[in-house]
């Protein structure tokens, strides 16, 4: 009944070919207009999952309460000297703060007057006492520099060391690192290459490393959501400002850009480039395979036009139904080409093998009628089953694939309509030759016979593979970290990887919103006891503890140091002659105490360099002076600030810090940072489990990743079972026999188990991008299997030598071409999607060509 209806419909479309073509052209034009005006793309991975999930609601709630922490663009500055990095960060922040067109706000998180003044108080008492003792020991040296902050003052201070050595009063053990630094810098200057001197490293010693090697400028850009890259203009403005910095132009500092905005924009550029190139490449290679399959442009052109029209209509539906594509659903175009081409190939291969009695246009119509009756219902069942495989994901919480499922599911129906309506019309217009003698692989008849002869061992082999697949199933792992699907070579990701080793700058953390500050303190203390936790930050973390003890130590040091380093009227900048005289005098003083020292001794090196500088020209001396003391005043001022520390409370914490941890209604945030590198999935799960045992209501990026993985896995289990049931119902409704339905489903299950084996053994880690291979496996597998089972049912004896097998093979090649283009993408998530799709396709083809022919029951006609 259905076969006759479809055959008549196909002939009707062919007889009214130009009207059908006009209708589709109008529909396609409308789809293009809708696509251009209504369709967008987002790289926001937070949109991949349903907003109804409890853990996601907690995460979204925190984002709304602390909006200043989202959509950030971060400049990471790496410099040779810490002072260069600090100066570059301050200059960049000043430039960006004045740019109100591109930025909402700009912050220097590590360069805050409050933190700078109270920095020493965050040390434990013993380390603090050592730092202060070393600084007091350098009091004469510092006093000389404060009185004369120039190279003359430095040389004179080094001369004091010589006097101390002469008198036996100089203990240089604690100054060896500083002396080595002076020696290296002075030697470079004596060689005509004056270099900036880091007073922070020389005077603060190991304390200078506590702030880390990077400086950060955090911004919240103004995003243009009408652009394909919303943060493109702010990123360019930041890059332009960075390139204009003094130390960047000199090559002494480098600025890297990262942050959520930068990474998302880079990812979209990579995905979009890969998808466009992949789609164009797929269409080109599909055309090549079609040439080998049907061997005439008069059929290739109708197939390609049908594919393009179906793709345009499906894209138009996507624009109306979802509006915004995500990083998964954007792959629907390549998937549509890969699957829909199967329908067209099946139709055209069968069409060319017909033997009409008439000639010319009447012969084409007759061939189309026979083709429609023979294969129309097969394509209908295949399209419905494929659509069911996709649509089963629409009710799940994994909205990324749910969206793909909706678009691709409807796309399969669109592909079917195009195949039975537009394709016959185009074939009627292009008038290809039919009545080919053979359209199958006759050379494969021996293989057909061998499979029937060795049916038992072949089924035994596949049974063993099925058992292995079931055994390996528990070993499947799922990586829910979205960072692992991004391009590691992009600037944003390269920069982020530089920061991951530092818990404070790592992108993985947990957060808890306490009802008040007292509760936040209690929770922070609980979290801090966990072995998986590096620290738990709350607003009180910015208030030093044991202040009485520390302030007493600082006050004792300040009493000795401040009168020396606070000089109302320091000496003016010296001229070249004064610098030369000081260098000559100090070199002479040092020569009296360094005669017996090794040539590599720092004092000996300093003496040699100063003696050489004393003979230098004026220009070199002045450049040396500028390089040596460029950062000295800043370091002396920093020392004054930290020695002026006073008691502080939570009320003294500045507003720019307070708003990150305290809401106006009194609720307080606790940030929990993990210990170790969390790029390993096992370590991340362990951290999240420990945090959730303390507080099940915790949120944060680390918890989002783990919970999203659980949600995705659950969604796929539910969707896979639903798809299997829906496909079984469709098959039974079409085939009306339990045996035929079971044969199709058995081959489908076999291909799934073989795919599982390859995933574990290759290995290929499952992630939220490549896991869509499952619905595709169901769709493609059902299509191929239905054709073979329905051919067997209609009496075909040799399935591998039939036209259907030829169509399946070339359909698989064209599909593999589409998936192969994904595998070559620079985007890791897209590439992994392509690789897994290729693996699943190979398993599906093996199950179709070898498992099904062996599985098909013997019929009486098989003996003849």
């Amino acid at each position: 009944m259905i076969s006759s209806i479809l055959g008549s419909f196909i002939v009707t479309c062919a007889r009214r070919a130009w009207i059908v073509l006009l209708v589709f052209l109008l529909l396609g034009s409308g789809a293009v207009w809708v696509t251009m005006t209504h369709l967008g793309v987002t790289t926001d991975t937070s949109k991949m999952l349903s907003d109804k999930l409890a853990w996601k609601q907690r995460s979204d709630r925190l984002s709304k309460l602390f909006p200043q922490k989202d959509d950030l663009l971060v400049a990471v500055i790496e410099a040779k000297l810490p002072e260069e990095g600090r100066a570059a960060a301050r200059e960049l922040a000043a430039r960006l703060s004045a740019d109100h067109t591109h930025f909402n706000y700009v912050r220097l998180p590590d360069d805050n007057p409050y933190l700078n003044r109270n920095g020493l108080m965050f040390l434990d008492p013993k380390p603090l006492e050592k730092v202060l003792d070393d600084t007091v020991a350098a009091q004469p040296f510092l006093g000389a520099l404060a009185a004369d902050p120039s190279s003359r003052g430095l040389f004179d201070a080094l001369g004091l060391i010589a006097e101390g050595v002469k008198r036996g009063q100089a203990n240089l053990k604690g100054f060896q690192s500083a002396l080595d630094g002076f020696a290296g810098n002075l030697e470079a200057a004596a060689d005509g290459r004056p270099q900036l001197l880091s007073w922070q490293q020389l005077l603060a010693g190991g304390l200078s490393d506590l702030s880390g090697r990077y400086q950060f400028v955090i911004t919240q850009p103004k995003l243009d959501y009408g652009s394909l890259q919303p943060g493109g203009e702010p990123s360019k403005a930041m890059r332009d400002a960075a390139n204009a910095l003094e130390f960047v132009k000199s090559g002494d500092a480098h600025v890297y850009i990262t942050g959520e905005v930068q990474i998302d924009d880079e990812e979209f550029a990579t995905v979009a480039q890969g998808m466009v190139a992949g789609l164009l490449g797929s269409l080109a290679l599909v055309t090549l395979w079609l040439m080998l399959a049907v061997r005439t442009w008069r059929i290739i052109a109708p197939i390609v036009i049908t594919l393009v029209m179906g793709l345009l209509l499906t894209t138009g539906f996507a624009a109306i139904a979802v509006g915004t594509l995500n990083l998964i659903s954007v792959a629907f175009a390549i998937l549509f080409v890969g699957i829909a081409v199967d329908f067209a190939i099946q139709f055209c291969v069968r069409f060319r093998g017909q033997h009409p009695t008439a000639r010319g246009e009447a012969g084409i119509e007759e061939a189309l009628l026979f083709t429609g009756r023979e294969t129309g219902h097969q394509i209908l069942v295949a399209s419905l089953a494929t659509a069911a495989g996709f649509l089963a994901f629409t009710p799940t919480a994994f909205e990324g694939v749910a969206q793909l499922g909706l678009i691709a599911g409807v796309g399969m129906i669109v592909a079917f309509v195009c195949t039975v309506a537009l394709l016959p019309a185009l074939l009627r217009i292009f008038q290809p030759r039919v009545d080919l003698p053979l359209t199958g692989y006759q050379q494969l008849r021996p293989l057909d016979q061998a499979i029937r002869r060795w049916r038992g061992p072949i089924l035994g082999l596949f049974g063993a593979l099925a058992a292995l697949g079931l055994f390996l199933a528990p070993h499947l792992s799922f990586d829910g970290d979205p960072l692992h699907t991004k391009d590691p070579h992009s600037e944003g990701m390269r920069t982020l990887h530089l920061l991951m080793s530092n818990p404070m700058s790592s992108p993985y953390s947990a957060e808890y919103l306490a009802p008040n500050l007292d509760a936040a303190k209690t929770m922070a203390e609980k979290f801090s006891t966990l072995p998986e936790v590096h620290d738990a930050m709350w607003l009180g973390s910015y208030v030093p503890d044991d202040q009485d003890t520390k302030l007493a130590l600082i006050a004792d040091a300040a009493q000795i140091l401040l009168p020396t380093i606070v000089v109302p009227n320091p000496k003016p900048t010296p001229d070249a002659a004064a610098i030369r005289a000081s260098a000559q005098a100090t070199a002479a003083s040092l020569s009296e105490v360094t005669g017996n020292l090794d040539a590599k001794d720092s004092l000996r090196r300093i003496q040699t360099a100063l003696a050489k500088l004393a003979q230098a020209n004026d220009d070199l001396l002045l450049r040396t002076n500028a390089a040596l003391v460029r950062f000295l005043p800043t370091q002396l001022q920093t020392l004054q600030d930290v020695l002026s520390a006073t008691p502080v409370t939570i009320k003294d914490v500045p507003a720019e810090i307070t708003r990150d941890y305290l809401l106006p209604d009194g609720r307080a945030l606790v940030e929990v940072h993990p210990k170790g590198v969390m790029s390993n999935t096992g370590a991340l799960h362990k951290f999240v489990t420990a945090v959730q045992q303390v507080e099940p209501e915790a949120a944060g990026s680390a918890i989002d990743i783990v919970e999203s993985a659980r949600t995705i896995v659950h969604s796929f289990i539910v969707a896979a079972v639903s798809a299997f049931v829906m496909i079984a119902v469709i098959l039974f409704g079409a085939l009306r026999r339990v045996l035929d339905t079971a044969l199709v489903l058995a081959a489908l299950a076999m291909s799934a188990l073989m795919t599982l084996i390859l995933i574990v053994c290759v290995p290929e880690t499952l992630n939220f991008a490549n896991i869509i291979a499952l619905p595709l496996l169901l769709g493609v597998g059902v299509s191929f299997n239905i054709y073979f089972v329905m051919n067997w049912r209609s009496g075909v004896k040799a399935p591998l030598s039939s036209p259907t097998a030829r169509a399946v093979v070339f359909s698989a090649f064209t599909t593999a071409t589409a998936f192969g283009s994904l595998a070559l993408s620079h985007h890791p998530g897209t590439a992994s999607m392509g690789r897994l799709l290729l693996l699943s396709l190979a398993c599906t083809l093996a199950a179709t060509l070898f498992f099904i022919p062996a599985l098909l029951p013997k019929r009486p006609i098989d003996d003849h």
Side-chain angles (χ1 to χ4, degrees), residues 407-667:
I407 299 171
V410 173
M412 294 302 97
I413 306 301
V414 171
F416 169 75
V417 173
C418 290
T419 301
V420 297
L422 179 60
L423 182 58
L426 292 171
L427 291 173
R428 173 69 167 71
I429 293 171
F430 281 85
Q431 298 187 14
R433 176 190 169 194
V434 293
D435 194 17
L436 293 184
L438 292 172
T439 58
Y441 293 120
Q442 297 303 311
Q443 61 270 33
L444 293 182
R445 278 189 175 274
L447 182 58
D448 274 316
Q449 296 170 0
I451 290 177
R452 299 306 298 177
R453 186 182 311 118
W454 299 96
R455 182 169 179 254
I458 291 174
L459 291 178
L461 174 62
F462 277 103
L465 289 175
L468 179 60
L470 292 171
F471 172 76
L472 292 177
H475 296 83
L476 277 178
S477 62
F478 183 83
D479 183 0
D481 192 341
L483 294 180
H484 293 169
T485 64
K486 302 180 188 297
D487 182 6
H489 303 296
S490 66
E491 180 183 12
M493 285 302 299
R494 288 200 315 269
T495 306
L496 190 62
H497 281 298
L498 294 176
L499 309 178
M500 283 186 178
S501 60
N502 184 351
M504 299 301 292
S505 57
S506 171
Y508 306 99
S509 64
E511 296 177 331
Y512 172 70
L513 189 61
N516 51 56
L517 284 173
D518 290 337
K521 178 182 179 180
T522 301
M523 290 304 302
E525 291 173 349
K526 289 183 179 180
F527 286 130
S528 298
T529 61
L530 298 174
E532 296 83 4
V533 170
H534 177 271
D535 63 75
M537 298 288 294
W538 65 294
L539 186 59
S541 301
Y542 289 88
V543 180
D545 55 7
D546 201 8
Q547 291 189 39
D548 292 341
T549 300
K550 297 174 183 178
L551 285 171
L553 294 172
I554 293 174
D556 290 342
Q559 191 173 8
I560 300 172
L561 291 169
L562 286 179
T564 305
I565 63 175
V566 178
V567 179
N569 298 303
K571 291 183 179 181
T573 302
D575 57 17
I579 297 171
R580 183 178 293 106
S582 177
Q584 190 171 17
T586 301
S589 297
L590 287 173
S591 65
E592 299 177 9
V593 298
T594 59
N596 297 326
L597 296 177
D598 185 89
K600 295 183 179 180
D601 184 88
S602 56
L603 279 181
R604 182 70 177 271
R605 293 166 57 201
I606 290 173
Q607 189 276 329
T608 302
L610 288 175
K612 190 174 181 179
L613 276 173
Q615 306 301 317
N617 59 50
D618 290 357
D619 177 68
L620 179 57
L621 288 174
L622 292 176
R623 287 191 293 118
T624 298
N625 178 73
L628 288 174
V629 299
R630 168 75 180 269
F631 300 121
L632 177 59
T634 302
Q635 186 60 31
L636 291 173
Q637 183 60 54
T638 299
L639 185 57
Q640 292 181 37
D641 290 342
V642 297
L643 292 174
S644 304
T646 57
V648 293
T649 66
I650 283 184
K651 294 181 179 180
D652 296 310
V653 179
E656 59 265 29
I657 296 177
T658 300
R659 69 167 178 259
D660 285 344
Y661 292 92
L662 187 64
L663 294 172
D665 61 6
R667 287 179 292 173

Side-chain angles (χ1 to χ4, degrees), residues 55 59 62 480-483 506-511 672 674 684 687-688 699-708:
W55 62 267
S59 180
L62 282 177
D481 192 341
L483 294 180
S506 171
Y508 306 99
S509 64
E511 296 177 331
V672 187
L684 187 62
F687 166 70
V688 169
S701 60
I703 291 175
D704 287 349
I705 291 171
V706 172
E707 291 292 349
S708 65

Side-chain angles (χ1 to χ4, degrees), residues 747-821:
L748 195 61
M750 178 56 67
S751 58
L753 290 172
M754 289 192 297
T755 302
L756 187 152
I757 294 172
L758 290 180
I759 291 174
V760 175
C761 295
V762 168
E764 184 68 52
T765 303
L766 291 176
N767 55 55
F768 72 84
N770 66 22
I771 202 169
I772 67 166
L774 177 57
L776 190 68
L777 167 67
L778 297 175
V780 176
V782 165
S783 298
F784 291 174
N785 299 337
I786 284 174
Y787 301 142
F788 269 56
V789 171
M790 295 185 78
N791 279 355
W792 167 80
R793 179 173 171 172
S794 63
V796 174
K797 290 185 179 182
L800 295 184
S801 58
S802 68
T804 298
R806 177 185 177 87
V808 164
V809 169
F810 278 101
S811 177
F813 285 163
T814 53
T815 305
T817 297
F819 300 163
S821 68

Side-chain angles (χ1 to χ4, degrees), residues 40 49 56 124 134 200 228 514 517 540 715 769:
L49 298 163
K56 193 167 187 303
D124 290 333
D134 290 345
Q200 179 177 327
L228 294 177
L517 284 173
S715 296

Side-chain angles (χ1 to χ4, degrees), residues 259-273:
E260 179 183 356
V261 171
Q262 177 74 7
I263 292 174
D264 284 351
D265 281 356
E266 289 173 342
E267 182 170 34
F268 175 77
T270 304
V271 171
Q273 179 183 6

Side-chain angles (χ1 to χ4, degrees), residues 143-193:
L145 291 172
D148 187 1
S150 68
S151 58
R152 177 183 59 196
L154 171 60
F155 299 161
D156 291 346
L158 292 172
L160 293 177
I161 293 178
E163 291 299 321
V165 172
K166 287 180 186 178
R167 300 174 184 177
Q169 299 175 345
N171 182 5
L172 303 182
K173 184 177 180 181
F175 295 96
Q176 198 57 52
S177 177
L179 292 175
D180 288 340
F182 288 134
N185 196 280
L186 290 173
E187 287 173 337
D191 291 337
R193 299 176 290 102

Side-chain angles (χ1 to χ4, degrees), residues 738-750:
V738 174
L739 175 61
D740 296 356
T741 302
L743 290 172
V744 176
L745 295 179
L748 195 61
M750 178 56 67

